[in-house]
Every structure is written in structure tokens, then in C-alpha cells.
Amino acid sequence: VSRVEVLRGPQGTLFGRNATGGSVNVITARPQPEFSAELGAMAGFDPVQYGADGYVTGALNESGTLAGRASFRYGYNEGYTENLGNVGPDRFDDDDSYGIRTQLLYAPSATFEANLALEYDHRDSAGQAYVLIGGPDFAPIPAEDLGGVRPEPDTGTTYAKRGFNRGEFMLATLDTKAEIPGGTLKTILSGGKFTADIDTDGDGTTVDFTNTFMELDGEQLFGEATYDFDRFDQFNLILGANAFYQSLDQRMAVPIMGFPAPVTLTGAPFQTTSYAVFANGSYQITDMIGIFGGARYTFDRKAVNDFNNFVGSLNIRENWDQVTYEIGATFDLSDNLNAYAKHGTGFKSGGFQIGNVEPPVDPRRFRRTLPPSTWHMTTCRFSRLRASPPASRTRPRRQSTALRQR
């Protein structure tokens, strides 16, 4: 990680829908022509845990115009919650995962660069422990009425007959930056696939009353182009457009004791298509005082083939669109202390509840005025945590934003 930027919400202008609470922008470290390498390891107990991570980077040709970087991480944790049952995993809330990332950076001149990144993550764990405290008003749940016993609360234990959480994630990203007359043109193209198989005990007692099995299989594409007009010291303007597509197959089965068949919920495929155009500008009135503002138009389309074997099926398709905006002012009080005031709007996209076989949930629209607030910059050893002003934006790593827009 090169640095992390934290922006208070809503951030609907530059970061789009579903950024009503704010944005955390993670900028990963890029290849460097100078050779560098690092290897780290950790270990602990209660519970037993260990891990390792590292990277290597350097030039791949004599001129240094081609550089590469490879990094990895591995983590193991035996689990925080003990399973008191005679079957199933010994512990839950565990971790057994690894990830690798390779990058290739081509920078033939000071005015152009292109970076290709390939990422892969894998996890295989028992999953999360479900510890129920009771039904409504803490009344016994049906599994207890059938003789099931639940563990004592706050003991770090559970009863579970089964449990696993397995998944893979693959992502390819190509981003470019070119200095052109008047400013900088940036583009980003990414495509990814992900799968998940999850099985959880649904009652947390000694009785095998219910469990939930879920399969996810999806793919997504994202593209964005931004033009950053920054030829004047006092004025900055960002213009941009992007498109996002995701197709997700979700299958869920919930067997319940006494039911003739498991409750089967299917959303396949669940498709999301989104387009947006936006503009954001800032003007530094004096060395201490600046103003900013921006607007964004977003169009969303979602469609799903929803199925519930006890209710029926329904093909649903819905479109939404929204204009969001923000205006505000910044005040540079010192080199490390700043203040700002902002009024902004946000847009939380509509959607569907798979298995309900009902019309979609309408979008939520937000307005928020932030009173004068302050932030400061903190420098850490391995990365920078920067609380950025509301109008700030660096090289977009929007695939991370896209992944949560389901």
C-alpha cells in the first residue's frame, strides 16, 4: 500500500453511488525502477496465528522504462471461537488465506505511463460463528424447544454441525496516464471474477435444526476516463465518465427441520449496469481560502430472475437515475492543519432482496451539510494515512469501489 485516503461523505460527485457515508481510497504501491525488496513475518498465540508478506520491485530493462513488482501475503488464524459440538470444524472465526499481485509498469517518457496489474486471492476457512441470544424478547428459539442447548454467552464458544467459507477472486487492471495539452488524461480498465461457497450452522445449538448453504459466482467490468485540467495554480477541474457491469449468480438453500424440502432462493443472473458523467472543480481564492464544487449524473439498471420454491418466481428489471452535487470551502490554517465546510448530496442505488420475489427497493437519496471540520496529515513508517479535503481525488482505484456496488 502506498497510502490510504479517507474522505467524509457523501462523496457522490467523484466516487459515485453508494458512497453516501464517505470513501476510503486505497492506493497500492507501483513498480519502481530502483531495486527494492522486503519480507515480513508474524506469529502469535491465543489463538495460534502466523503469516508472512513481502514484495520485490525493480527495472526489467537497462533504460528503466520497464519496471515490475511482485507481492504476496499469507495469513493463518486457528479461530477465535471454539466449537463445542462433536462434529464440524473445531474452531470458527478463523483465517487461512493468501494473495498475490504482479504489476508491469511501462513509462517511456515523463508524459506517459501504463501499468498492468494482475491479482489473485484465495480463502478457505470455517467461516463465522453464529451465537444466538434467543428469539423475540429473548424467548427460546425453535431449536431449543426441540431440546437444543446453546452455549453460555460471552464464552467464545458455539455449537455447530458444519461450516466452511471458501472463495477465489481474480482481477486484471490496466491504467494509463498521459500528459496532454492543458492537463492530464487518465484511464482505467478492469475485469474480475469471483466465486464463493459458504455453509453455516443456522441455530447454534446441539440440535441440527437449520443451516444455510450459499453459492456465488460473478464477474464484473469497469472502465473510466478522467481529464484533469491543472494548468493554473489557482484553478483545477476534473471531468470524467465511467461505466460498470456486473453479472452475479446467487444460489441459496436453507433446510429446516420438519420442512418437506429446503427453502431454495435463487437470483441468477443478477445483472447491474451503471453509467456516470461528472465534473468537479476547485478555486484557490487566497493562500488560505479555497472553494470547490461539482456535479454527477448516474444511471443504473438492475435486472434479476428471482426464485423462491415456496413462493414462485419473478423476472424484475428496473432503472434509476440521479443528479448529485457538492459545494464547499477549504481553509489552510497551517502546513498540517486545515478546515472545511461542505454541503453535498448522495445516492444509494435501489436493489432487490433475493428470494422475496417482490418489487425492487427504491433508491435512497441523501443531503448533508458538514459544519466546519478540521483534518491533519499523519505520516507513518510504511504508508501514509491522509484525511483528504472533500474535493481531493488522486489516481482512481475504482475497481475497489465497483466491487461493493452490488
Side-chain angles (χ1 to χ4, degrees):
V1 174
S2 174
R3 66 181 185 273
V4 178
E5 297 176 346
V6 182
L7 298 94
R8 293 182 66 180
Q11 288 293 331
T13 302
L14 289 176
F15 290 89
R17 60 188 174 95
N18 300 347
T20 53
S23 297
V24 178
N25 196 21
V26 180
I27 294 92
T28 57
R30 295 166 74 84
Q32 300 295 326
E34 299 80 15
F35 176 79
S36 176
E38 184 176 292
L39 180 64
M42 60 80 65
F45 59 93
D46 194 24
V48 173
Q49 53 189 294
Y50 49 86
D53 59 75
Y55 76 89
V56 59
T57 185
L60 299 179
N61 60 2
E62 292 184 2
S63 63
T65 58
L66 190 64
R69 180 185 175 94
S71 56
F72 81 96
R73 64 152 193 90
Y74 172 75
Y76 173 82
N77 185 315
E78 72 169 346
Y80 291 95
T81 304
E82 181 184 0
N83 183 14
L84 301 179
N86 297 323
V87 296
D90 294 332
R91 303 183 75 90
F92 288 87
D93 299 312
D94 60 329
D95 177 44
D96 188 358
S97 62
Y98 64 89
I100 56 175
R101 177 190 292 121
T102 59
Q103 298 182 75
L104 190 64
L105 175 66
Y106 177 59
S109 67
T111 61
F112 177 81
E113 67 177 42
N115 189 72
L116 175 65
L118 303 176
E119 305 177 44
Y120 176 78
D121 276 285
H122 175 88
R123 73 173 186 276
D124 187 354
S125 71
Q128 182 179 354
Y130 285 84
V131 180
L132 303 181
I133 60 174
D137 298 324
F138 301 97
I141 61 176
E144 291 180 287
D145 293 335
L146 296 172
V149 177
R150 53 182 166 175
E152 293 295 324
D154 302 322
T155 58
T157 58
T158 188
Y159 286 103
K161 320 300 177 302
R162 58 184 54 79
F164 59 78
N165 187 328
R166 308 176 187 129
E168 291 183 320
F169 170 71
M170 294 168 283
L171 181 69
T173 304
L174 174 66
D175 63 79
T176 66
K177 182 174 71 171
E179 301 293 335
I180 61 176
T184 304
L185 177 65
K186 300 178 182 179
T187 66
I188 182 170
L189 295 172
S190 66
K193 298 187 68 175
F194 53 91
T195 62
D197 296 313
I198 304 169
D199 193 7
T200 58
D201 190 288
D203 55 90
T205 72
T206 54
V207 171
D208 192 6
F209 181 73
T210 184
N211 69 285
T212 300
F213 175 74
M214 180 185 299
E215 289 182 330
L216 298 174
D217 187 0
E219 60 183 18
Q220 58 181 208
L221 299 171
F222 177 80
E224 180 177 85
T226 59
Y227 174 71
D228 189 349
F229 180 83
D230 57 0
R231 288 299 182 258
F232 299 101
D233 292 338
Q234 293 176 289
F235 177 70
N236 175 261
L237 176 66
I238 296 176
L239 303 174
N242 63 42
F244 169 75
Y245 171 79
Q246 177 174 273
S247 179
L248 172 67
D249 290 347
Q250 176 177 312
R251 297 168 291 274
M252 181 184 301
V254 185
I256 302 175
M257 184 183 294
F259 274 44
V263 179
T264 303
L265 314 175
T266 304
F270 184 177
Q271 296 178 327
T272 301
T273 305
S274 180
Y275 308 97
V277 293
F278 54 90
N280 198 89
S282 61
Y283 181 74
Q284 197 69 26
I285 301 174
T286 69
D287 290 340
M288 292 184 59
I289 302 174
I291 57 175
F292 63 88
R296 181 188 189 98
Y297 172 76
T298 302
F299 172 83
D300 273 357
R301 174 182 292 133
K302 294 188 177 182
V304 65
N305 183 6
D306 197 8
F307 172 77
N308 183 319
N309 63 326
F310 282 90
V311 177
S313 63
L314 182 65
N315 289 318
I316 316 171
R317 176 174 172 170
E318 190 63 63
N319 300 335
W320 300 279
D321 65 343
Q322 180 71 21
V323 174
T324 55
Y325 66 89
E326 67 175 10
I327 55 174
T330 60
F331 309 92
D332 295 333
L333 305 179
S334 69
D335 290 340
N336 295 308
L337 183 64
N338 305 273
Y340 70 90
K342 166 187 170 181
H343 174 77
T345 61
F347 171 51
K348 184 175 177 62
S349 178
F352 310 104
Q353 180 64 47
I354 301 299
N356 281 8
V357 193
E358 293 180 349
V361 178
D362 289 333
R364 297 184 63 189
R365 297 169 173 86
F366 298 83
R367 296 176 181 268
R368 186 181 184 190
T369 299
L370 296 179
S373 304
T374 60
W375 72 88
H376 65 278
M377 182 183 295
T378 302
T379 302
C380 304
R381 180 182 177 187
F382 297 111
S383 63
R384 288 202 301 275
L385 176 63
R386 184 166 71 192
S388 302
S392 173
R393 181 185 173 108
T394 58
R395 179 180 68 86
R397 285 285 296 173
R398 193 62 56 78
Q399 68 270 24
S400 58
T401 303
L403 287 173
R404 68 168 180 267
Q405 295 179 345
R406 297 179 181 173

